[in-house]
Amino acid sequence: MDVTLHLAQDPEADALLGRSPLAALVGMLLDQQVPMEWAFKGPRTIADRLGADDLDAHDIAAQDPDAFSSLLSEKPAVHRYPGSMAKRIQQLCQYLVEHYDGDADLVWKGVDDGRELLRRLEDLPGFGKQKAQIFLALLGKQLGVRPQGWQEAAGAYGETKSFRSVADITGPESLAKVRAHKQEMKAAAKAAKSAGK
């Protein structure tokens, strides 16, 4: 992996995401209940606080849980819920160590079927179906990982120029389109909830 991503809207953080499969997975894991840029800047912040150039699944999996939680809680915190996210990141890294020898790109390397790749992503701790589909779309659209049937497996997120998720963000203009789509979806959900009362 060595591509230019624009998810954190920060050159150093985006450079790490583009060259580190683990950083990309951790950023995706953090992408909930905080602004996307904050989530995807998290891997760079964690690496800096660990005094490393990259994230290492073996190292993170072996960290003392309280110390790792404190590391994520330092100001500015890596996430709105640094304690629970520290636990989730460690669970993800422990799973990668156990199933993929700590090598995150083995989750998708050599997989030639989109449904199988989606299943592998859904098996990751902290990845439900939607998060797995978004990450699959990111792999296909921006990281060149395109097993047969990947777009179908990614669902609506795999559609070309859909501007539904981080998979479609290539700069400030596409970021604005994805934000607008998310706001429309929230408004529709809120209207549907009100109508149901």
Side-chain angles (χ1 to χ4, degrees):
M1 246 174 69
D2 195 8
V3 297
T4 302
L5 294 178
H6 301 278
L7 307 179
Q9 303 289 303
D10 171 278
E12 285 188 22
D14 282 328
L16 178 61
L17 295 169
R19 67 180 156 77
S20 170
L22 180 56
L25 279 175
V26 169
M28 190 74 228
L29 183 67
L30 291 168
D31 188 22
Q32 60 188 54
Q33 301 180 322
V34 295
M36 182 203 65
E37 300 93 328
W38 184 6
F40 282 96
K41 199 182 268 191
R44 173 81 265 164
T45 304
I46 295 167
D48 288 345
R49 291 180 184 172
L50 288 171
D53 290 334
D54 194 355
L55 299 181
D56 180 290
H58 291 278
D59 178 46
I60 292 172
Q63 291 278 326
D64 173 75
D66 292 333
F68 192 65
S69 178
S70 296
L71 186 97
L72 267 68
S73 300
E74 287 175 24
K75 302 286 186 216
V78 169
H79 193 274
R80 178 179 292 155
Y81 303 107
S84 63
M85 283 312 205
K87 185 176 181 179
R88 285 187 179 184
I89 291 168
Q90 284 197 289
Q91 288 170 339
L92 172 64
C93 289
Q94 288 159 356
Y95 183 89
L96 291 171
V97 167
E98 185 179 332
H99 296 274
Y100 297 101
D101 195 30
D103 192 348
D105 73 344
L106 290 181
V107 174
W108 53 85
K109 200 172 193 176
V111 177
D112 56 10
D113 179 74
R115 287 173 303 186
E116 169 62 14
L117 179 50
L118 179 62
R119 185 196 62 74
R120 285 180 174 212
L121 291 168
E122 286 182 283
D123 285 347
L124 297 175
F127 278 67
K129 182 170 185 174
Q130 183 181 35
K131 194 175 284 284
Q133 285 184 310
I134 291 170
F135 195 79
L136 176 53
L138 177 66
L139 286 170
K141 290 180 176 183
Q142 297 199 46
L143 301 174
V145 177
R146 299 181 181 113
Q148 186 171 350
W150 73 269
Q151 285 183 292
E152 293 79 8
Y157 300 107
E159 294 171 8
T160 306
K161 296 185 180 177
S162 61
F163 300 107
R164 294 178 192 275
S165 72
V166 298
D168 300 295
I169 296 172
T170 56
E173 188 179 316
S174 53
L175 171 61
K177 288 180 183 179
V178 169
R179 278 238 160 80
H181 173 76
K182 287 186 176 200
Q183 287 169 346
E184 286 172 24
M185 297 306 288
K186 280 184 183 175
K190 190 174 182 181
K193 189 175 179 182
S194 294
K197 284 185 176 179

